[in-house]
Amino acid sequence: MNRIIIDCNKKEGIISPELHSHFIEFLGACIYDGIWVGEESEIENYGGIRKAAADALSALEPPIIRWPGGCYADTYHWRNGIGERSKRPVTYNENFGTFERDDNQFGIHEFMELCRITGAKPWLNINLLSGSVGEMRDWVEYCNRREETELSLLRKKNGSPEPFMVEYWGIGNECWAGGGNMTAEMYAEEFRKYSSAMPLCDSRNPDSGFSMKRIASGADGNKPKERVEWTRRFFKALGQFRQPRLDAMDLHFYNWNVENPDDRDVAFSEEGWYKVINSCLELEDVLKEQYDLIQEGLSGFPEAEGFFPVTEPKCDLVVGEWGNWHGSSFKSRPALWQQCTMRDAITTALTLDIFHRNCRLVKAACVAQTVNVLNSLILTQGKQTILTPNYDIFMMYKVHRGAEKLSLRTENTSSVISGEGAFGKAGGSTLENIHAFASEKGNHVFVNLINADMAKEQEIFLEFSDGGKLRPESVRTIFAENAQDYNSAEEPDKIRSRQGTLPEEKDGGFLYRAKPASVSVLTFTAV
Ligand code: AHR
């Protein structure tokens, strides 16, 4: 029997809602067609923004949306995207094989409108590679300056009298690759300049409650040796003399699936299923390693001299891009478009649970990307807007936002491993293809049960220790008839989450039957 024992007395950190954030970029059909259709379009829109996509996102309440890239940020000049739309310059988008003219219709005002509609906080990535410190300063002024200046008046003229109050600022993107092929030392030098030159705007005022976060380009999570070097040497270089402000480091991790050319987004073997499912679990170890390296780096900073009080250096770990990347997407038009089957839904759930489980180490994470690129939640085809099963996973997991992680251990007939160790080996559970996570909010306990077995239904016995009496209240579950199923324009709701069967109360615990290749969220209420 697969047993999961949840200790309701052992709380292990608060799940930051920002772990459920998003990334959108000028790449393929993410922005144009996906989010932006234009005011004149026959497709229903809010001033040019595709209504169905905006509505779907609003329902999801995205905590943060990161834009304009990604790699594209390093070729993007924000001034091209302001002013009368018909007069904006036409540039060319080569990003990741997009190869299309870009008429800059979706600029900062349109992005801020998307954030306003969906309730998201913006994260802007500045252009470190082909921009300049001055261009960055001007963008911050334009967005966040409250007092009347030339740039804030220009913002007003363009329709936004109130400052945007953008809190998150990414300084560079993947500076080890498309962002400049830099060494960690070179990047540290660039970071010093950009961070020091960034205007403070209202974040200077402690009473404003607003603080701008400078986010450094973190390591390539997929390169085991390089990622250690990157973080260690970046901090070492930054540890010389005085330090610029640094609030977070942005790690990127993709679940690459490129080795087997026959494995496609919608066509894969049993081997391909388990390959993709199991390799996403590596992220758990990467998070722990990178968190430790950041702490080690901060501890190497010199002690400040002089009279003025200094605050303890602190730097959060954030993940600006994550998701499955199937090799078949390289041949797709639009660029990097891929379908999302139940395989992607399971890895989306597993990855979000890795973030939940490590909520003391990681503060924000953005799925790559929200619309029409890679691990999408939304796909569009002409007038149609299709929600992938990944969307349902995000929706089902909303209950964990702001909740407290509960300790749990797993047992099966052959092994008993407790506490964190239960998920110690590359983030995997000790149970065969069963993964679990639990949190508590108010008088509810929420339990995620993932059956990653492609073909077999599995019985799971749940027990609660020290939790008082709990009653199963509801079950939300998602599964497919076939693991390769997906939602398309022809069958947009082929896989949808639905109400599941309540677990059976038995021997002081609860017995749940998890369908093959399924994700379930069980809600229990204290009685
Ligand atoms: O998400 C697609 C691309 O992947 C991004 O532009 C880049 O940052 C990463 O390499």
Side-chain angles (χ1 to χ4, degrees):
M1 174 57 73
N2 302 302
R3 289 178 68 207
I4 292 172
I5 302 114
I6 297 165
D7 188 340
C8 296
N9 263 343
K10 239 175 146 188
K11 315 260 163 67
E12 298 179 328
I14 293 181
I15 296 150
S16 122
E18 284 77 18
L19 293 172
H20 292 195
S21 295
H22 294 262
F23 169 44
I24 60 170
E25 181 176 20
F26 289 110
L27 197 173
C30 178
I31 304 291
Y32 295 115
D33 280 355
I35 290 168
W36 181 259
V37 291
E39 279 176 303
E40 307 302 321
S41 172
E42 286 179 358
I43 299 168
E44 263 195 285
N45 63 79
Y46 295 123
I49 295 172
R50 185 186 279 263
K51 179 176 180 298
D55 288 347
L57 279 176
S58 302
L60 214 51
E61 299 177 275
I64 301 174
I65 304 180
R66 176 174 179 256
W67 174 85
C71 287
Y72 194 82
D74 278 315
T75 58
Y76 184 65
H77 299 286
W78 67 271
R79 279 192 169 86
N80 290 342
I82 57 170
E84 215 179 295
R85 285 199 203 106
S86 61
K87 296 202 177 119
R88 294 187 190 172
V90 175
T91 51
Y92 196 75
N93 185 346
E94 292 191 333
N95 192 25
F96 270 100
T98 300
F99 297 133
E100 273 174 32
R101 280 156 46 94
D102 183 345
D103 54 10
N104 284 291
Q105 299 298 284
F106 189 87
I108 180 68
H109 290 265
E110 290 77 14
F111 172 63
M112 289 309 306
E113 181 59 8
L114 175 71
C115 290
R116 191 195 61 77
I117 294 172
T118 59
K121 287 185 280 183
W123 166 347
L124 296 180
N125 241 74
I126 62 108
N127 182 344
L128 184 92
L129 192 59
S130 63
S132 65
V133 171
E135 187 178 352
M136 173 209 67
R137 273 190 64 85
D138 287 354
W139 205 13
V140 178
E141 286 282 335
Y142 185 85
C143 291
N144 286 359
R145 182 63 66 204
R146 181 179 303 283
E147 297 82 2
E148 289 197 348
T149 63
E150 197 179 325
L151 283 165
S152 68
L153 289 172
L154 181 60
R155 182 191 68 229
K156 186 174 173 186
K157 183 170 157 244
N158 287 333
S160 303
E162 287 303 312
F164 296 140
M165 305 307 275
V166 178
E167 190 180 328
Y168 301 95
W169 291 89
I171 301 182
N173 174 71
E174 300 191 349
C175 292
W176 29 263
N181 286 306
M182 296 185 199
T183 63
E185 289 77 12
M186 277 169 75
Y187 175 57
E189 269 188 43
E190 292 297 312
F191 183 83
R192 281 177 183 278
K193 285 187 280 184
Y194 279 81
S195 172
S196 307
M198 189 171 275
L200 293 166
C201 296
D202 275 12
S203 60
R204 182 196 48 191
N205 176 358
D207 299 331
S208 70
F210 171 75
S211 123
M212 277 163 49
K213 313 239 174 344
R214 292 152 172 82
I215 305 171
S217 167
D220 180 350
N222 296 101
K223 297 262 188 304
K225 287 195 211 126
E226 187 196 272
R227 69 178 183 236
V228 172
E229 288 282 293
W230 181 266
T231 308
R232 189 169 277 158
R233 284 169 51 180
F234 171 74
F235 275 97
K236 191 158 181 237
L238 225 55
Q240 311 297 307
F241 292 88
R242 301 182 197 191
Q243 285 66 53
R245 271 211 33 205
L246 162 68
D247 299 288
M249 209 166 180
D250 172 14
L251 171 78
H252 290 183
F253 180 89
Y254 282 99
N255 186 24
W256 286 100
N257 176 33
V258 289
E259 289 93 341
N260 179 0
D262 296 331
D263 186 299
R264 292 194 302 113
D265 50 354
V266 293
F268 46 84
S269 61
E270 191 182 353
E271 192 190 341
W273 168 271
Y274 288 109
K275 192 254 161 210
V276 172
I277 300 283
N278 291 326
S279 58
C280 86
L281 301 173
E282 189 197 335
L283 174 61
E284 187 142 16
D285 285 346
V286 182
L287 292 180
K288 289 180 179 152
E289 170 207 280
Q290 289 293 313
Y291 177 83
D292 287 346
L293 285 166
I294 292 174
Q295 307 320 309
E296 183 188 301
L298 291 171
S299 69
F301 283 0
E303 255 180 53
E305 296 179 300
F307 311 105
F308 298 109
V310 279
T311 45
E312 213 30 45
K314 188 177 167 288
C315 172
D316 286 336
L317 174 62
V318 297
V319 180
E321 296 179 27
W322 66 268
N324 286 349
W325 193 320
H326 302 299
S328 51
S329 72
F330 284 116
K331 295 192 189 126
S332 291
R333 290 307 293 168
L336 297 193
W337 189 96
Q338 65 188 27
Q339 249 302 351
C340 298
T341 64
M342 217 34 231
R343 180 169 68 165
D344 302 284
I346 297 262
T347 54
T348 295
L350 288 170
T351 306
L352 288 176
D353 277 345
I354 289 174
F355 295 136
H356 294 157
R357 213 155 37 239
N358 293 283
C359 59
R360 284 189 172 145
L361 312 187
V362 59
K363 295 296 165 213
C366 305
V367 63
Q369 301 188 7
T370 307
V371 187
N372 285 337
V373 170
L374 303 175
N375 205 65
S376 310
L377 280 65
I378 300 172
L379 295 174
T380 63
Q381 197 174 317
K383 283 187 180 172
Q384 255 183 290
T385 304
I386 303 135
L387 304 180
T388 72
N390 296 351
Y391 179 90
D392 295 60
I393 299 291
F394 268 74
M395 202 55 153
M396 288 160 68
Y397 274 21
K398 265 175 84 176
V399 291
H400 296 292
R401 295 184 190 175
E404 284 187 280
K405 173 196 167 193
L406 293 178
S407 167
L408 64 75
R409 64 194 166 91
T410 59
E411 278 185 25
N412 59 21
T413 41
S414 56
S415 66
V416 180
I417 299 186
S418 303
E420 283 297 313
F423 294 90
K425 48 157 188 148
S429 155
T430 53
L431 303 177
E432 188 85 13
N433 293 321
I434 292 175
H435 303 263
F437 175 78
S439 77
E440 185 187 281
K441 193 159 54 180
N443 61 342
H444 295 302
V445 171
F446 307 105
V447 184
N448 300 345
L449 295 177
I450 302 173
N451 179 9
D453 196 295
M454 195 179 175
K456 210 170 68 195
E457 178 170 291
Q458 302 216 67
E459 288 196 336
I460 304 166
F461 191 68
L462 272 179
E463 288 167 62
F464 297 94
S465 60
D466 294 327
K469 181 98 182 91
L470 288 169
R471 169 170 48 84
E473 172 106 19
S474 63
V475 174
R476 198 87 205 151
T477 187
I478 184 165
F479 56 90
E481 291 307 316
N482 295 302
Q484 287 94 347
D485 283 353
Y486 54 87
N487 296 336
S488 62
E490 295 71 38
E491 288 182 282
D493 294 317
K494 190 160 187 168
I495 322 172
R496 269 295 68 95
S497 77
R498 56 186 95 172
Q499 204 179 315
T501 313
L502 289 180
E504 186 188 321
E505 212 163 335
K506 207 178 162 191
D507 304 333
F510 301 92
L511 181 68
Y512 186 70
R513 290 185 182 84
K515 295 227 183 274
S518 68
V519 180
S520 307
V521 179
L522 283 62
T523 301
F524 292 86
T525 307
V527 284

